[in-house]
Amino acid sequence: QVQLVESGGGLVQAGGSLRLSCVVSGNIFKINSMAWYRQPPGKQRELVAEITIGGNIGNTNYADSVKGRFTISRDSAKSTMYLQMSSLKPEDTAVYYCNAEIHPAQTMGTIRVRGPPNAYWGQGTQVTVSS
């Protein structure tokens, strides 16, 4: 099965930096896009950054609140997505979730084929920024 696992969260001081990782595993045919979401305490989950995957490049998009401070990237060889967070603020405190739109691989007889796309989520990793 397809699985997404986040790591790298923790407690940091305001102005500090942190890098989150999301490892994708399983029987995957193709990844269309990946994204980072976050859910602050008592609030709804919101999009932080996303990356679309086509060819050897990926186009990125960021929430206004993190532009210039966060960087999303992907290492296809390691099947890992990253979120580099700098100049962290207390309002960045949240549970951060990895998300991906993935075509799982399926079998038809002895042939490996592309399954229908689906959204997958990681379990989340806590980021706490102190004042």
Side-chain angles (χ1 to χ4, degrees):
Q1 75 273 36
V2 175
Q3 186 175 12
L4 278 61
V5 179
E6 304 99 330
S7 63
L11 175 64
V12 297
Q13 293 183 350
S17 299
L18 206 61
R19 189 178 76 162
L20 306 182
S21 300
C22 173
V23 178
V24 182
S25 63
N27 198 3
I28 297 169
F29 195 94
K30 182 182 179 183
I31 300 175
N32 291 334
S33 63
M34 300 187 72
W36 286 99
Y37 287 76
R38 68 184 182 187
Q39 186 168 13
K43 297 184 178 181
Q44 296 294 318
R45 190 173 301 184
E46 62 183 11
L47 177 67
V48 176
E50 61 183 357
I51 181 169
T52 57
I53 301 168
N56 293 320
I57 63 172
N59 295 321
T60 59
N61 185 50
Y62 297 90
D64 289 340
S65 59
V66 306
K67 285 182 179 178
R69 300 189 297 119
F70 290 11
T71 301
I72 187 172
S73 62
R74 178 173 178 261
D75 186 339
S76 60
K78 296 182 178 180
S79 298
T80 303
M81 180 179 65
Y82 302 96
L83 184 67
Q84 179 66 50
M85 305 183 293
S86 301
S87 302
L88 284 163
K89 305 174 181 179
E91 50 263 44
D92 294 319
T93 295
V95 177
Y96 284 71
Y97 295 91
C98 179
N99 167 267
E101 181 181 294
I102 295 174
H103 293 270
Q106 297 179 345
T107 57
M108 184 175 65
T110 60
I111 302 174
R112 187 172 180 267
V113 299
R114 182 179 65 197
N118 193 23
Y120 296 88
W121 293 89
Q123 81 288 352
T125 185
Q126 176 71 48
V127 173
T128 302
V129 184
S130 64
S131 301

PDB file of all heavy atoms in Angstrom, residues 6-45:
ATOM      1  N   GLU A   6       5.756  11.596   7.748  1.00  0.00           N
ATOM      2  CA  GLU A   6       6.442  12.853   8.031  1.00  0.00           C
ATOM      3  C   GLU A   6       7.399  12.688   9.209  1.00  0.00           C
ATOM      4  O   GLU A   6       7.193  11.856  10.089  1.00  0.00           O
ATOM      5  CB  GLU A   6       5.450  13.977   8.365  1.00  0.00           C
ATOM      6  CG  GLU A   6       4.387  14.233   7.317  1.00  0.00           C
ATOM      7  CD  GLU A   6       3.073  13.581   7.675  1.00  0.00           C
ATOM      8  OE1 GLU A   6       3.087  12.526   8.344  1.00  0.00           O
ATOM      9  OE2 GLU A   6       2.017  14.131   7.294  1.00  0.00           O
ATOM     10  N   SER A   7       8.419  13.538   9.229  1.00  0.00           N
ATOM     11  CA  SER A   7       9.333  13.605  10.355  1.00  0.00           C
ATOM     12  C   SER A   7      10.000  14.971  10.358  1.00  0.00           C
ATOM     13  O   SER A   7       9.898  15.726   9.399  1.00  0.00           O
ATOM     14  CB  SER A   7      10.386  12.494  10.292  1.00  0.00           C
ATOM     15  OG  SER A   7      11.200  12.632   9.137  1.00  0.00           O
ATOM     16  N   GLY A   8      10.684  15.291  11.440  1.00  0.00           N
ATOM     17  CA  GLY A   8      11.450  16.522  11.527  1.00  0.00           C
ATOM     18  C   GLY A   8      10.844  17.606  12.380  1.00  0.00           C
ATOM     19  O   GLY A   8      11.462  18.659  12.570  1.00  0.00           O
ATOM     20  N   GLY A   9       9.646  17.390  12.891  1.00  0.00           N
ATOM     21  CA  GLY A   9       9.028  18.382  13.746  1.00  0.00           C
ATOM     22  C   GLY A   9       9.723  18.468  15.094  1.00  0.00           C
ATOM     23  O   GLY A   9      10.538  17.627  15.459  1.00  0.00           O
ATOM     24  N   GLY A  10       9.392  19.511  15.833  1.00  0.00           N
ATOM     25  CA  GLY A  10       9.993  19.701  17.139  1.00  0.00           C
ATOM     26  C   GLY A  10       9.715  21.075  17.685  1.00  0.00           C
ATOM     27  O   GLY A  10       8.885  21.817  17.163  1.00  0.00           O
ATOM     28  N   LEU A  11      10.427  21.417  18.747  1.00  0.00           N
ATOM     29  CA  LEU A  11      10.301  22.708  19.419  1.00  0.00           C
ATOM     30  C   LEU A  11      11.490  23.583  19.056  1.00  0.00           C
ATOM     31  O   LEU A  11      12.647  23.178  19.234  1.00  0.00           O
ATOM     32  CB  LEU A  11      10.232  22.508  20.936  1.00  0.00           C
ATOM     33  CG  LEU A  11      10.227  23.760  21.798  1.00  0.00           C
ATOM     34  CD1 LEU A  11       8.980  24.595  21.527  1.00  0.00           C
ATOM     35  CD2 LEU A  11      10.319  23.384  23.270  1.00  0.00           C
ATOM     36  N   VAL A  12      11.203  24.780  18.547  1.00  0.00           N
ATOM     37  CA  VAL A  12      12.254  25.725  18.183  1.00  0.00           C
ATOM     38  C   VAL A  12      11.883  27.110  18.675  1.00  0.00           C
ATOM     39  O   VAL A  12      10.713  27.413  18.917  1.00  0.00           O
ATOM     40  CB  VAL A  12      12.504  25.764  16.660  1.00  0.00           C
ATOM     41  CG1 VAL A  12      12.988  24.414  16.157  1.00  0.00           C
ATOM     42  CG2 VAL A  12      11.238  26.184  15.930  1.00  0.00           C
ATOM     43  N   GLN A  13      12.884  27.963  18.811  1.00  0.00           N
ATOM     44  CA  GLN A  13      12.657  29.347  19.187  1.00  0.00           C
ATOM     45  C   GLN A  13      12.268  30.173  17.968  1.00  0.00           C
ATOM     46  O   GLN A  13      12.611  29.829  16.833  1.00  0.00           O
ATOM     47  CB  GLN A  13      13.906  29.946  19.830  1.00  0.00           C
ATOM     48  CG  GLN A  13      14.280  29.352  21.168  1.00  0.00           C
ATOM     49  CD  GLN A  13      15.483  30.041  21.777  1.00  0.00           C
ATOM     50  OE1 GLN A  13      16.156  30.833  21.131  1.00  0.00           O
ATOM     51  NE2 GLN A  13      15.754  29.741  23.030  1.00  0.00           N
ATOM     52  N   ALA A  14      11.541  31.248  18.201  1.00  0.00           N
ATOM     53  CA  ALA A  14      11.202  32.170  17.123  1.00  0.00           C
ATOM     54  C   ALA A  14      12.473  32.647  16.430  1.00  0.00           C
ATOM     55  O   ALA A  14      13.463  32.974  17.081  1.00  0.00           O
ATOM     56  CB  ALA A  14      10.410  33.354  17.660  1.00  0.00           C
ATOM     57  N   GLY A  15      12.422  32.670  15.103  1.00  0.00           N
ATOM     58  CA  GLY A  15      13.583  33.026  14.313  1.00  0.00           C
ATOM     59  C   GLY A  15      14.440  31.848  13.900  1.00  0.00           C
ATOM     60  O   GLY A  15      15.339  31.999  13.062  1.00  0.00           O
ATOM     61  N   GLY A  16      14.168  30.693  14.449  1.00  0.00           N
ATOM     62  CA  GLY A  16      14.931  29.506  14.142  1.00  0.00           C
ATOM     63  C   GLY A  16      14.474  28.831  12.868  1.00  0.00           C
ATOM     64  O   GLY A  16      13.569  29.303  12.176  1.00  0.00           O
ATOM     65  N   SER A  17      15.102  27.699  12.570  1.00  0.00           N
ATOM     66  CA  SER A  17      14.827  26.953  11.348  1.00  0.00           C
ATOM     67  C   SER A  17      14.550  25.493  11.663  1.00  0.00           C
ATOM     68  O   SER A  17      14.988  24.956  12.688  1.00  0.00           O
ATOM     69  CB  SER A  17      16.014  27.045  10.380  1.00  0.00           C
ATOM     70  OG  SER A  17      16.273  28.382   9.995  1.00  0.00           O
ATOM     71  N   LEU A  18      13.832  24.856  10.753  1.00  0.00           N
ATOM     72  CA  LEU A  18      13.485  23.456  10.895  1.00  0.00           C
ATOM     73  C   LEU A  18      13.221  22.892   9.505  1.00  0.00           C
ATOM     74  O   LEU A  18      12.680  23.595   8.647  1.00  0.00           O
ATOM     75  CB  LEU A  18      12.246  23.305  11.776  1.00  0.00           C
ATOM     76  CG  LEU A  18      12.022  22.002  12.548  1.00  0.00           C
ATOM     77  CD1 LEU A  18      13.164  21.752  13.523  1.00  0.00           C
ATOM     78  CD2 LEU A  18      10.696  22.071  13.293  1.00  0.00           C
ATOM     79  N   ARG A  19      13.599  21.639   9.282  1.00  0.00           N
ATOM     80  CA  ARG A  19      13.317  20.987   8.014  1.00  0.00           C
ATOM     81  C   ARG A  19      12.469  19.751   8.235  1.00  0.00           C
ATOM     82  O   ARG A  19      12.856  18.841   8.968  1.00  0.00           O
ATOM     83  CB  ARG A  19      14.605  20.592   7.277  1.00  0.00           C
ATOM     84  CG  ARG A  19      14.333  20.108   5.846  1.00  0.00           C
ATOM     85  CD  ARG A  19      15.585  19.749   5.086  1.00  0.00           C
ATOM     86  NE  ARG A  19      16.138  18.468   5.499  1.00  0.00           N
ATOM     87  CZ  ARG A  19      17.008  17.763   4.781  1.00  0.00           C
ATOM     88  NH1 ARG A  19      17.418  18.220   3.604  1.00  0.00           N
ATOM     89  NH2 ARG A  19      17.476  16.621   5.247  1.00  0.00           N
ATOM     90  N   LEU A  20      11.314  19.722   7.580  1.00  0.00           N
ATOM     91  CA  LEU A  20      10.425  18.574   7.627  1.00  0.00           C
ATOM     92  C   LEU A  20      10.684  17.666   6.435  1.00  0.00           C
ATOM     93  O   LEU A  20      11.020  18.132   5.345  1.00  0.00           O
ATOM     94  CB  LEU A  20       8.966  19.017   7.627  1.00  0.00           C
ATOM     95  CG  LEU A  20       8.535  20.022   8.702  1.00  0.00           C
ATOM     96  CD1 LEU A  20       7.045  20.301   8.580  1.00  0.00           C
ATOM     97  CD2 LEU A  20       8.890  19.523  10.089  1.00  0.00           C
ATOM     98  N   SER A  21      10.497  16.370   6.638  1.00  0.00           N
ATOM     99  CA  SER A  21      10.659  15.391   5.581  1.00  0.00           C
ATOM    100  C   SER A  21       9.400  14.550   5.463  1.00  0.00           C
ATOM    101  O   SER A  21       8.713  14.298   6.455  1.00  0.00           O
ATOM    102  CB  SER A  21      11.853  14.474   5.858  1.00  0.00           C
ATOM    103  OG  SER A  21      13.055  15.206   5.940  1.00  0.00           O
ATOM    104  N   CYS A  22       9.119  14.111   4.254  1.00  0.00           N
ATOM    105  CA  CYS A  22       8.000  13.222   3.989  1.00  0.00           C
ATOM    106  C   CYS A  22       8.486  12.128   3.055  1.00  0.00           C
ATOM    107  O   CYS A  22       8.810  12.402   1.893  1.00  0.00           O
ATOM    108  CB  CYS A  22       6.829  13.983   3.368  1.00  0.00           C
ATOM    109  SG  CYS A  22       5.463  12.932   2.825  1.00  0.00           S
ATOM    110  N   VAL A  23       8.535  10.912   3.547  1.00  0.00           N
ATOM    111  CA  VAL A  23       8.983   9.770   2.763  1.00  0.00           C
ATOM    112  C   VAL A  23       7.770   9.047   2.200  1.00  0.00           C
ATOM    113  O   VAL A  23       6.853   8.687   2.946  1.00  0.00           O
ATOM    114  CB  VAL A  23       9.837   8.812   3.602  1.00  0.00           C
ATOM    115  CG1 VAL A  23      10.256   7.605   2.765  1.00  0.00           C
ATOM    116  CG2 VAL A  23      11.064   9.531   4.139  1.00  0.00           C
ATOM    117  N   VAL A  24       7.777   8.840   0.900  1.00  0.00           N
ATOM    118  CA  VAL A  24       6.688   8.167   0.208  1.00  0.00           C
ATOM    119  C   VAL A  24       7.129   6.749  -0.140  1.00  0.00           C
ATOM    120  O   VAL A  24       8.197   6.546  -0.718  1.00  0.00           O
ATOM    121  CB  VAL A  24       6.277   8.918  -1.066  1.00  0.00           C
ATOM    122  CG1 VAL A  24       5.100   8.232  -1.740  1.00  0.00           C
ATOM    123  CG2 VAL A  24       5.942  10.364  -0.748  1.00  0.00           C
ATOM    124  N   SER A  25       6.315   5.779   0.195  1.00  0.00           N
ATOM    125  CA  SER A  25       6.645   4.396  -0.097  1.00  0.00           C
ATOM    126  C   SER A  25       5.402   3.656  -0.566  1.00  0.00           C
ATOM    127  O   SER A  25       4.279   4.137  -0.422  1.00  0.00           O
ATOM    128  CB  SER A  25       7.249   3.707   1.132  1.00  0.00           C
ATOM    129  OG  SER A  25       6.317   3.660   2.201  1.00  0.00           O
ATOM    130  N   GLY A  26       5.621   2.472  -1.104  1.00  0.00           N
ATOM    131  CA  GLY A  26       4.533   1.650  -1.579  1.00  0.00           C
ATOM    132  C   GLY A  26       4.631   1.387  -3.063  1.00  0.00           C
ATOM    133  O   GLY A  26       5.598   1.760  -3.730  1.00  0.00           O
ATOM    134  N   ASN A  27       3.614   0.742  -3.576  1.00  0.00           N
ATOM    135  CA  ASN A  27       3.573   0.385  -4.993  1.00  0.00           C
ATOM    136  C   ASN A  27       2.983   1.555  -5.780  1.00  0.00           C
ATOM    137  O   ASN A  27       1.775   1.640  -5.981  1.00  0.00           O
ATOM    138  CB  ASN A  27       2.758  -0.882  -5.198  1.00  0.00           C
ATOM    139  CG  ASN A  27       3.028  -1.537  -6.534  1.00  0.00           C
ATOM    140  OD1 ASN A  27       3.868  -1.080  -7.301  1.00  0.00           O
ATOM    141  ND2 ASN A  27       2.310  -2.608  -6.817  1.00  0.00           N
ATOM    142  N   ILE A  28       3.849   2.457  -6.216  1.00  0.00           N
ATOM    143  CA  ILE A  28       3.453   3.711  -6.839  1.00  0.00           C
ATOM    144  C   ILE A  28       3.766   3.688  -8.325  1.00  0.00           C
ATOM    145  O   ILE A  28       4.875   3.341  -8.727  1.00  0.00           O
ATOM    146  CB  ILE A  28       4.167   4.895  -6.168  1.00  0.00           C
ATOM    147  CG1 ILE A  28       3.744   4.994  -4.704  1.00  0.00           C
ATOM    148  CG2 ILE A  28       3.879   6.191  -6.911  1.00  0.00           C
ATOM    149  CD1 ILE A  28       4.570   5.956  -3.900  1.00  0.00           C
ATOM    150  N   PHE A  29       2.787   4.093  -9.123  1.00  0.00           N
ATOM    151  CA  PHE A  29       2.997   4.216 -10.552  1.00  0.00           C
ATOM    152  C   PHE A  29       3.460   5.624 -10.921  1.00  0.00           C
ATOM    153  O   PHE A  29       4.405   5.790 -11.693  1.00  0.00           O
ATOM    154  CB  PHE A  29       1.723   3.851 -11.323  1.00  0.00           C
ATOM    155  CG  PHE A  29       1.947   3.605 -12.786  1.00  0.00           C
ATOM    156  CD1 PHE A  29       2.156   2.324 -13.257  1.00  0.00           C
ATOM    157  CD2 PHE A  29       1.950   4.652 -13.694  1.00  0.00           C
ATOM    158  CE1 PHE A  29       2.365   2.084 -14.604  1.00  0.00           C
ATOM    159  CE2 PHE A  29       2.159   4.424 -15.048  1.00  0.00           C
ATOM    160  CZ  PHE A  29       2.369   3.133 -15.505  1.00  0.00           C
ATOM    161  N   LYS A  30       2.787   6.638 -10.369  1.00  0.00           N
ATOM    162  CA  LYS A  30       3.135   8.021 -10.678  1.00  0.00           C
ATOM    163  C   LYS A  30       2.628   8.947  -9.578  1.00  0.00           C
ATOM    164  O   LYS A  30       1.547   8.755  -9.049  1.00  0.00           O
ATOM    165  CB  LYS A  30       2.527   8.443 -12.020  1.00  0.00           C
ATOM    166  CG  LYS A  30       2.883   9.853 -12.452  1.00  0.00           C
ATOM    167  CD  LYS A  30       2.196  10.211 -13.754  1.00  0.00           C
ATOM    168  CE  LYS A  30       2.537  11.626 -14.183  1.00  0.00           C
ATOM    169  NZ  LYS A  30       1.823  12.030 -15.415  1.00  0.00           N
ATOM    170  N   ILE A  31       3.426   9.968  -9.262  1.00  0.00           N
ATOM    171  CA  ILE A  31       3.022  11.025  -8.347  1.00  0.00           C
ATOM    172  C   ILE A  31       2.745  12.282  -9.157  1.00  0.00           C
ATOM    173  O   ILE A  31       3.621  12.776  -9.862  1.00  0.00           O
ATOM    174  CB  ILE A  31       4.106  11.307  -7.296  1.00  0.00           C
ATOM    175  CG1 ILE A  31       4.390  10.057  -6.471  1.00  0.00           C
ATOM    176  CG2 ILE A  31       3.676  12.459  -6.391  1.00  0.00           C
ATOM    177  CD1 ILE A  31       5.531  10.220  -5.492  1.00  0.00           C
ATOM    178  N   ASN A  32       1.527  12.804  -9.061  1.00  0.00           N
ATOM    179  CA  ASN A  32       1.156  14.002  -9.802  1.00  0.00           C
ATOM    180  C   ASN A  32       1.568  15.283  -9.080  1.00  0.00           C
ATOM    181  O   ASN A  32       2.030  16.237  -9.706  1.00  0.00           O
ATOM    182  CB  ASN A  32      -0.348  14.032 -10.058  1.00  0.00           C
ATOM    183  CG  ASN A  32      -0.790  12.968 -11.033  1.00  0.00           C
ATOM    184  OD1 ASN A  32      -0.019  12.521 -11.883  1.00  0.00           O
ATOM    185  ND2 ASN A  32      -2.034  12.548 -10.929  1.00  0.00           N
ATOM    186  N   SER A  33       1.372  15.315  -7.778  1.00  0.00           N
ATOM    187  CA  SER A  33       1.687  16.505  -7.007  1.00  0.00           C
ATOM    188  C   SER A  33       1.855  16.135  -5.548  1.00  0.00           C
ATOM    189  O   SER A  33       1.371  15.099  -5.096  1.00  0.00           O
ATOM    190  CB  SER A  33       0.591  17.566  -7.153  1.00  0.00           C
ATOM    191  OG  SER A  33      -0.636  17.098  -6.627  1.00  0.00           O
ATOM    192  N   MET A  34       2.537  17.010  -4.813  1.00  0.00           N
ATOM    193  CA  MET A  34       2.688  16.841  -3.382  1.00  0.00           C
ATOM    194  C   MET A  34       2.524  18.196  -2.709  1.00  0.00           C
ATOM    195  O   MET A  34       2.718  19.237  -3.338  1.00  0.00           O
ATOM    196  CB  MET A  34       4.046  16.232  -3.030  1.00  0.00           C
ATOM    197  CG  MET A  34       4.284  14.859  -3.637  1.00  0.00           C
ATOM    198  SD  MET A  34       5.798  14.057  -3.061  1.00  0.00           S
ATOM    199  CE  MET A  34       5.322  13.648  -1.367  1.00  0.00           C
ATOM    200  N   ALA A  35       2.171  18.175  -1.445  1.00  0.00           N
ATOM    201  CA  ALA A  35       1.913  19.424  -0.739  1.00  0.00           C
ATOM    202  C   ALA A  35       2.132  19.247   0.753  1.00  0.00           C
ATOM    203  O   ALA A  35       2.096  18.133   1.281  1.00  0.00           O
ATOM    204  CB  ALA A  35       0.481  19.907  -1.000  1.00  0.00           C
ATOM    205  N   TRP A  36       2.359  20.367   1.410  1.00  0.00           N
ATOM    206  CA  TRP A  36       2.387  20.434   2.861  1.00  0.00           C
ATOM    207  C   TRP A  36       1.185  21.234   3.341  1.00  0.00           C
ATOM    208  O   TRP A  36       0.918  22.326   2.834  1.00  0.00           O
ATOM    209  CB  TRP A  36       3.666  21.092   3.372  1.00  0.00           C
ATOM    210  CG  TRP A  36       4.888  20.237   3.258  1.00  0.00           C
ATOM    211  CD1 TRP A  36       5.836  20.284   2.288  1.00  0.00           C
ATOM    212  CD2 TRP A  36       5.283  19.207   4.166  1.00  0.00           C
ATOM    213  NE1 TRP A  36       6.812  19.350   2.525  1.00  0.00           N
ATOM    214  CE2 TRP A  36       6.498  18.670   3.677  1.00  0.00           C
ATOM    215  CE3 TRP A  36       4.749  18.688   5.342  1.00  0.00           C
ATOM    216  CZ2 TRP A  36       7.180  17.640   4.316  1.00  0.00           C
ATOM    217  CZ3 TRP A  36       5.424  17.662   5.977  1.00  0.00           C
ATOM    218  CH2 TRP A  36       6.617  17.145   5.465  1.00  0.00           C
ATOM    219  N   TYR A  37       0.467  20.691   4.303  1.00  0.00           N
ATOM    220  CA  TYR A  37      -0.611  21.367   4.991  1.00  0.00           C
ATOM    221  C   TYR A  37      -0.245  21.507   6.460  1.00  0.00           C
ATOM    222  O   TYR A  37       0.637  20.810   6.966  1.00  0.00           O
ATOM    223  CB  TYR A  37      -1.925  20.593   4.872  1.00  0.00           C
ATOM    224  CG  TYR A  37      -2.576  20.646   3.505  1.00  0.00           C
ATOM    225  CD1 TYR A  37      -2.085  19.902   2.449  1.00  0.00           C
ATOM    226  CD2 TYR A  37      -3.698  21.437   3.291  1.00  0.00           C
ATOM    227  CE1 TYR A  37      -2.689  19.940   1.199  1.00  0.00           C
ATOM    228  CE2 TYR A  37      -4.313  21.479   2.056  1.00  0.00           C
ATOM    229  CZ  TYR A  37      -3.801  20.724   1.015  1.00  0.00           C
ATOM    230  OH  TYR A  37      -4.415  20.773  -0.221  1.00  0.00           O
ATOM    231  N   ARG A  38      -0.937  22.393   7.144  1.00  0.00           N
ATOM    232  CA  ARG A  38      -0.750  22.502   8.585  1.00  0.00           C
ATOM    233  C   ARG A  38      -2.077  22.835   9.250  1.00  0.00           C
ATOM    234  O   ARG A  38      -2.961  23.430   8.641  1.00  0.00           O
ATOM    235  CB  ARG A  38       0.299  23.557   8.945  1.00  0.00           C
ATOM    236  CG  ARG A  38      -0.106  24.992   8.657  1.00  0.00           C
ATOM    237  CD  ARG A  38       1.052  25.935   8.952  1.00  0.00           C
ATOM    238  NE  ARG A  38       0.704  27.324   8.732  1.00  0.00           N
ATOM    239  CZ  ARG A  38       1.565  28.333   8.781  1.00  0.00           C
ATOM    240  NH1 ARG A  38       2.853  28.088   9.059  1.00  0.00           N
ATOM    241  NH2 ARG A  38       1.167  29.575   8.567  1.00  0.00           N
ATOM    242  N   GLN A  39      -2.195  22.431  10.507  1.00  0.00           N
ATOM    243  CA  GLN A  39      -3.392  22.684  11.285  1.00  0.00           C
ATOM    244  C   GLN A  39      -2.984  23.255  12.637  1.00  0.00           C
ATOM    245  O   GLN A  39      -2.556  22.507  13.522  1.00  0.00           O
ATOM    246  CB  GLN A  39      -4.217  21.416  11.460  1.00  0.00           C
ATOM    247  CG  GLN A  39      -5.547  21.648  12.134  1.00  0.00           C
ATOM    248  CD  GLN A  39      -6.467  20.441  12.041  1.00  0.00           C
ATOM    249  OE1 GLN A  39      -6.033  19.351  11.680  1.00  0.00           O
ATOM    250  NE2 GLN A  39      -7.730  20.632  12.338  1.00  0.00           N
ATOM    251  N   PRO A  40      -3.118  24.580  12.814  1.00  0.00           N
ATOM    252  CA  PRO A  40      -2.842  25.179  14.115  1.00  0.00           C
ATOM    253  C   PRO A  40      -3.867  24.711  15.141  1.00  0.00           C
ATOM    254  O   PRO A  40      -4.970  24.285  14.781  1.00  0.00           O
ATOM    255  CB  PRO A  40      -2.966  26.686  13.852  1.00  0.00           C
ATOM    256  CG  PRO A  40      -2.857  26.830  12.359  1.00  0.00           C
ATOM    257  CD  PRO A  40      -3.461  25.583  11.803  1.00  0.00           C
ATOM    258  N   PRO A  41      -3.529  24.793  16.418  1.00  0.00           N
ATOM    259  CA  PRO A  41      -4.484  24.365  17.443  1.00  0.00           C
ATOM    260  C   PRO A  41      -5.777  25.167  17.374  1.00  0.00           C
ATOM    261  O   PRO A  41      -5.753  26.396  17.322  1.00  0.00           O
ATOM    262  CB  PRO A  41      -3.735  24.604  18.758  1.00  0.00           C
ATOM    263  CG  PRO A  41      -2.646  25.569  18.415  1.00  0.00           C
ATOM    264  CD  PRO A  41      -2.270  25.278  17.001  1.00  0.00           C
ATOM    265  N   GLY A  42      -6.902  24.468  17.351  1.00  0.00           N
ATOM    266  CA  GLY A  42      -8.202  25.107  17.320  1.00  0.00           C
ATOM    267  C   GLY A  42      -8.608  25.688  15.980  1.00  0.00           C
ATOM    268  O   GLY A  42      -9.634  26.374  15.905  1.00  0.00           O
ATOM    269  N   LYS A  43      -7.838  25.435  14.925  1.00  0.00           N
ATOM    270  CA  LYS A  43      -8.140  25.986  13.617  1.00  0.00           C
ATOM    271  C   LYS A  43      -8.225  24.895  12.561  1.00  0.00           C
ATOM    272  O   LYS A  43      -7.873  23.738  12.806  1.00  0.00           O
ATOM    273  CB  LYS A  43      -7.089  27.019  13.213  1.00  0.00           C
ATOM    274  CG  LYS A  43      -7.034  28.241  14.114  1.00  0.00           C
ATOM    275  CD  LYS A  43      -6.040  29.261  13.603  1.00  0.00           C
ATOM    276  CE  LYS A  43      -6.022  30.501  14.467  1.00  0.00           C
ATOM    277  NZ  LYS A  43      -5.060  31.508  13.964  1.00  0.00           N
ATOM    278  N   GLN A  44      -8.693  25.281  11.372  1.00  0.00           N
ATOM    279  CA  GLN A  44      -8.821  24.347  10.263  1.00  0.00           C
ATOM    280  C   GLN A  44      -7.473  24.101   9.583  1.00  0.00           C
ATOM    281  O   GLN A  44      -6.566  24.927   9.645  1.00  0.00           O
ATOM    282  CB  GLN A  44      -9.831  24.876   9.244  1.00  0.00           C
ATOM    283  CG  GLN A  44     -11.254  25.004   9.766  1.00  0.00           C
ATOM    284  CD  GLN A  44     -11.860  23.667  10.085  1.00  0.00           C
ATOM    285  OE1 GLN A  44     -11.697  22.700   9.339  1.00  0.00           O
ATOM    286  NE2 GLN A  44     -12.571  23.591  11.195  1.00  0.00           N
ATOM    287  N   ARG A  45      -7.375  22.966   8.931  1.00  0.00           N
ATOM    288  CA  ARG A  45      -6.180  22.648   8.172  1.00  0.00           C
ATOM    289  C   ARG A  45      -6.057  23.576   6.962  1.00  0.00           C
ATOM    290  O   ARG A  45      -7.051  23.861   6.285  1.00  0.00           O
ATOM    291  CB  ARG A  45      -6.232  21.187   7.723  1.00  0.00           C
ATOM    292  CG  ARG A  45      -4.942  20.674   7.123  1.00  0.00           C
ATOM    293  CD  ARG A  45      -5.014  19.168   6.866  1.00  0.00           C
ATOM    294  NE  ARG A  45      -5.269  18.427   8.092  1.00  0.00           N
ATOM    295  CZ  ARG A  45      -5.301  17.102   8.166  1.00  0.00           C
ATOM    296  NH1 ARG A  45      -5.094  16.370   7.077  1.00  0.00           N
ATOM    297  NH2 ARG A  45      -5.543  16.505   9.321  1.00  0.00           N
TER     298      ARG A  45
END
